[in-house]
Amino acid sequence: MSSRGSSAWLLQRVTGALLFITLGTHFYLYHYFMGPGMWGFDSIGFGATDLATLKAMMESNPEMAKYYKLAHLFAAPLWKVFDVTFISLGTYHGFYGIKAIIDDWVTHDGWRSVANWVVYICGVVLWVMGIVAVISFNPELF
Amino acid sequence: MYKIKEGMLAWILHKITGIAIVAFLIFHIWSMSKMSKGPEAFNAVIETYKTPLFRAGEVLLLGGVLFHALNGMRLILGEFTAWAMKQHKLLVYLTYILAGALFLVGAWFMWRAEG
Ligand code: HEM
């Protein structure tokens, strides 16, 4: 990790703390709501449709129940903004973390530079893939 | 900074879990970009998530994420507050206990749920 107090050091802490909150929200949305339950969602939902419509759709076509839940989240502007933020925090923090490990362990200047470029390019490609998946999703169900 | 014995294992585990979560993130975003291409694609991907290998992987991932998240918050707390710096030993043990307990509860629910 870069030296204590530097801006990269601070940013790793800030993104880490923000990830703690966004990861918690992500688990609630994509593992609890998308999975077994819906508790609390009618009050804080802000999904693409209301919960009654969603439930009716799920009952009329159980095969698609999970997809409807996904669409309810993924098509809603609030959760698009949330996911773009979450993906950005995760790719930045994760790939910067890998770079920090490389800086600590790879002592040869040339190899370190090569490895860091590979990590940088992978990070940017992954970030773009994630953003595209989130923004382009438009199921037109509701 | 990390000379204290209690922090050594946590320090190594933080790196291992960090790398493992990035590996998962690569898989996750790749798989997400397939899933978001429509209902058939979505259901096809979800089907593969139901295999025992995947479900075991998810449980393992839960453990890694819990440890990294809690230990990361402990690191941040220790770097910014004198209190947490003094309570270093206690907080390291608390991290293990909390991560372990949450892991057991979470793993039980995950394994019990219908994929
Ligand atoms: C959930 C909340 C999270 C918190 C509170 C957190 C906190 C931290 C902190 C404080 C560090 C710096 C450690 C050091 O300087 O020794 C760090 C490093 C790291 N994090 Fe996270 N993190 C979180 C989530 C994630 C996620 C989701 C990923 C993967 C995408 C990740 C990957 C990494 C990696 C690879 C490192 C570098 C390992 C190291 O240098 O020890 N973290 N994290």
Side-chain angles (χ1 to χ4, degrees):
Chain A
M1 188 52 63
S2 43
S3 58
R4 193 188 152 91
S6 70
S7 50
W9 179 90
L10 188 65
L11 206 52
Q12 192 69 357
R13 269 91 197 135
V14 171
T15 52
L18 290 174
L19 273 168
F20 196 80
I21 302 164
T22 48
L23 199 63
T25 312
H26 172 82
F27 275 124
Y28 171 68
L29 292 177
Y30 289 94
H31 297 271
Y32 175 72
F33 175 76
M34 280 283 288
M38 286 192 174
W39 179 81
F41 210 80
D42 35 359
S43 44
I44 59 125
F46 306 112
T49 183
D50 61 285
L51 221 57
T53 311
L54 178 65
K55 276 182 181 159
M57 288 173 73
M58 286 168 63
E59 269 162 31
S60 70
N61 194 353
E63 296 258 287
M64 283 289 139
K66 230 176 179 156
Y67 184 74
Y68 292 151
K69 277 191 183 175
L70 175 87
H72 181 64
L73 293 178
F74 241 38
L78 174 76
W79 298 120
K80 274 197 201 290
V81 172
F82 172 83
D83 277 323
V84 166
T85 309
F86 183 49
I87 290 167
S88 306
L89 288 168
T91 46
Y92 174 81
H93 179 98
F95 281 87
Y96 187 84
I98 301 287
K99 176 200 146 42
I101 294 175
I102 290 170
D103 285 346
D104 278 352
W105 292 74
V106 184
T107 47
H108 185 281
D109 283 351
W111 286 121
R112 190 172 57 236
S113 168
V114 170
N116 279 337
W117 272 105
V118 171
V119 167
Y120 178 75
I121 291 166
C122 287
V124 171
V125 168
L126 207 68
W127 179 71
V128 171
M129 277 173 71
I131 301 297
V132 167
V134 168
I135 292 181
S136 67
F137 186 77
N138 181 22
E140 291 177 356
L141 287 173
F142 308 114
Chain B
M1 201 201 298
Y2 290 106
K3 280 194 194 106
I4 315 159
K5 194 177 100 227
E6 277 75 22
M8 228 16 222
L9 177 65
W11 183 77
I12 300 278
L13 281 176
H14 198 79
K15 285 181 201 291
I16 295 173
T17 53
I19 294 169
I21 303 167
V22 171
F24 168 73
L25 188 70
I26 294 172
F27 163 78
H28 192 37
I29 291 184
W30 169 75
S31 131
M32 196 180 76
S33 54
K34 285 202 300 185
M35 272 160 77
S36 68
K37 287 197 168 55
E40 293 80 18
F42 175 81
N43 277 353
V45 174
I46 287 292
E47 250 350 273
T48 66
Y49 287 178
K50 288 179 182 161
T51 57
L53 188 71
F54 256 93
R55 300 191 59 198
E58 278 183 334
V59 172
L60 215 62
L61 182 74
L62 174 74
V65 169
L66 277 172
F67 177 80
H68 190 97
L70 291 171
N71 190 57
M73 291 309 280
R74 175 188 68 81
L75 284 172
I76 296 172
L77 214 63
E79 281 156 344
F80 289 101
T81 74
W83 172 80
M85 196 111 73
K86 261 204 227 114
Q87 299 298 326
H88 171 83
K89 209 166 153 175
L90 173 74
L91 289 174
V92 172
Y93 287 127
L94 208 63
T95 303
Y96 289 134
I97 293 170
L98 207 60
L102 289 173
F103 172 68
L104 289 178
V105 174
W108 185 73
F109 276 108
M110 276 171 90
W111 201 252
R112 204 187 57 149
E114 277 287 317

